[in-house]
Amino acid sequence: MKMMTIGKAAGKAGVGVETVRFYERQGLIEQPPKPINGGYRDYPEETVRRIRFIRQARELGFSLRETAELLSLNADPSTDCADVRERAQGKLLEVERKAAQLDRMRLALERLIAACPGQGALKACSIIEALKGGEGVAVKPTQDKETTP
Amino acid sequence: MKMMTIGKAAGKAGVGVETVRFYERQGLIEQPPKPINGGYRDYPEETVRRIRFIRQARELGFSLRETAELLSLNADPSTDCADVRERAQGKLLEVERKAAQLDRMRLALERLIAACPGQGALKACSIIEALKGGEGVAVKPTQDKETTP
DNA sequence: CTACGCTCCGTATAATAGTACGGTGTCAAG
DNA sequence: CTTGACACCGTACTATTATACGGAGCGTAG
């Protein structure tokens, strides 16, 4: 039988063996049971998919905790549907916010590139200006008196 | 004259004073010169914008190093235009890749939500399946013999 | 059956990104 | 002039996210 050992699984997912173990310890992926005879663990394809998902989510700026929350939406097909739905909607908002920011950055880069090639000195294609909208959670005001001292 | 001290700047940007200092040490923002008489530093609005940009970029999964690279595109309006352009194009690719992934996740969440509300048991609206494309940089193969041992 | 590579497991170390602390100096209100 | 809040600065600590190490065990090729 073709066993997928942890090394194979890690290779397929594009991470190191230690990273797989780390995710197991963090509860992001389930550690397959050790065979009764006491040999090596056999990893299912599902684990590889989960690891890849985790990497992608990380690249999109989700923490491991947030990634676990995303995975938990997937994990239980039997759990309270309304609850899953609610959490999914929360995540969707987060995703949409990120997407909007990313789109602003994309536009800014495109403008920068467009303004660059010819001959001018590309005066002020501010990338910074691109990401001015959509402040995340309301940060503590810290008494913002601003222009009224 | 209305001085913007580090505390005010941090408050406006929605971060703590220590974070501002940290970014200064990392070279992401410039530390304003200390007044000759030796008082407090006066932070320009530009710094607030930069900090906000940094936070947004971080939320989109860019490391501080990558964020610095993004900022560097903005910083020098006099530098070699072709160089800036090239780097901007590299970043644009990254951003587009992220956007594509994010879009897949958004669709998956939408499908999940759509499949959820009624009454069924939402069999297999796999979020994981959503992010299967676009493997980033080719990870070291580690001799991927796969199904041929 | 032996050699080699890999697994297993606990623990240690590292890199990144902040956050906190403590002593001293500065400013502005009272 | 005193007092309270904040700036300044170096250093220390924390959390997150991995990576590395070392010794013992397993398993397959030769």
Side-chain angles (χ1 to χ4, degrees):
Chain A
M1 79 235 212
K2 55 162 189 166
M3 278 256 298
M4 181 149 65
T5 61
I6 192 171
K8 301 263 182 56
K12 274 188 144 190
V15 302
V17 166
E18 303 305 326
T19 302
V20 177
R21 291 199 202 289
F22 175 68
Y23 289 162
E24 286 173 349
R25 262 176 283 144
Q26 301 303 305
L28 285 155
I29 57 182
E30 195 188 352
Q31 188 177 44
K34 211 170 170 179
I36 302 89
N37 52 50
Y40 296 161
R41 296 174 200 284
D42 188 17
Y43 285 75
E45 282 293 331
E46 167 68 6
T47 298
V48 176
R49 283 192 293 268
R50 274 178 92 91
I51 296 169
R52 285 209 258 245
F53 179 87
I54 294 164
R55 298 321 303 221
Q56 301 282 1
R58 295 283 297 110
E59 283 180 24
L60 295 176
F62 291 99
S63 68
L64 280 192
R65 177 178 303 276
E66 290 169 327
T67 303
E69 286 165 11
L70 284 166
L71 283 169
S72 80
L73 295 175
N74 192 73
D76 27 280
S78 58
T79 325
D80 183 13
C81 212
D83 172 54
V84 170
R85 184 183 154 85
E86 196 164 342
R87 288 186 292 136
Q89 278 171 331
K91 286 297 172 193
L92 182 57
L93 280 179
E94 262 190 89
V95 166
E96 281 169 347
R97 197 167 57 75
K98 275 180 199 279
Q101 290 299 326
L102 211 42
D103 202 54
R104 287 199 200 91
M105 193 177 279
R106 184 176 59 72
L107 284 169
L109 284 168
E110 280 169 358
R111 269 191 281 118
L112 183 63
I113 291 164
C116 222
Q119 46 283 353
L122 83 116
K123 38 191 83 78
C125 301
S126 180
I127 292 163
I128 291 170
E129 288 307 312
L131 269 66
K132 63 185 206 298
E135 190 65 31
V137 194
V139 286
K140 64 174 205 296
T142 323
Q143 68 199 17
D144 192 354
K145 61 189 95 173
E146 188 148 1
T147 51
T148 321
Chain B
M1 79 240 209
K2 55 159 187 165
M3 276 258 296
M4 180 149 64
T5 61
I6 192 171
K8 300 264 181 54
K12 276 188 145 191
V15 301
V17 167
E18 303 305 325
T19 301
V20 177
R21 290 201 203 288
F22 175 68
Y23 290 160
E24 286 172 350
R25 264 177 282 142
Q26 300 305 304
L28 284 156
I29 57 182
E30 195 187 353
Q31 186 176 45
K34 209 168 170 178
I36 301 88
N37 50 51
Y40 296 162
R41 296 173 199 284
D42 188 18
Y43 285 77
E45 281 294 330
E46 167 68 6
T47 297
V48 176
R49 282 192 294 267
R50 276 178 89 91
I51 296 169
R52 285 210 257 246
F53 179 88
I54 293 165
R55 298 321 301 224
Q56 301 282 3
R58 296 282 299 110
E59 283 181 24
L60 295 177
F62 291 99
S63 68
L64 281 190
R65 177 179 301 276
E66 289 169 328
T67 303
E69 287 166 10
L70 283 167
L71 283 168
S72 81
L73 295 175
N74 192 75
D76 27 280
S78 58
T79 324
D80 182 13
C81 213
D83 173 53
V84 170
R85 183 184 155 85
E86 194 164 346
R87 288 186 292 135
Q89 278 171 331
K91 287 296 173 196
L92 182 57
L93 280 179
E94 264 190 87
V95 165
E96 282 170 346
R97 199 166 56 76
K98 275 181 200 277
Q101 291 297 327
L102 211 42
D103 203 55
R104 288 198 200 93
M105 192 177 279
R106 185 177 57 72
L107 284 170
L109 284 168
E110 280 170 356
R111 270 190 281 118
L112 183 63
I113 290 164
C116 222
Q119 46 283 355
L122 82 116
K123 39 191 84 75
C125 301
S126 180
I127 294 163
I128 292 170
E129 287 307 311
L131 268 67
K132 63 184 207 298
E135 190 64 32
V137 194
V139 286
K140 66 174 202 294
T142 322
Q143 66 200 22
D144 193 353
K145 61 190 91 169
E146 188 149 0
T147 51
T148 323

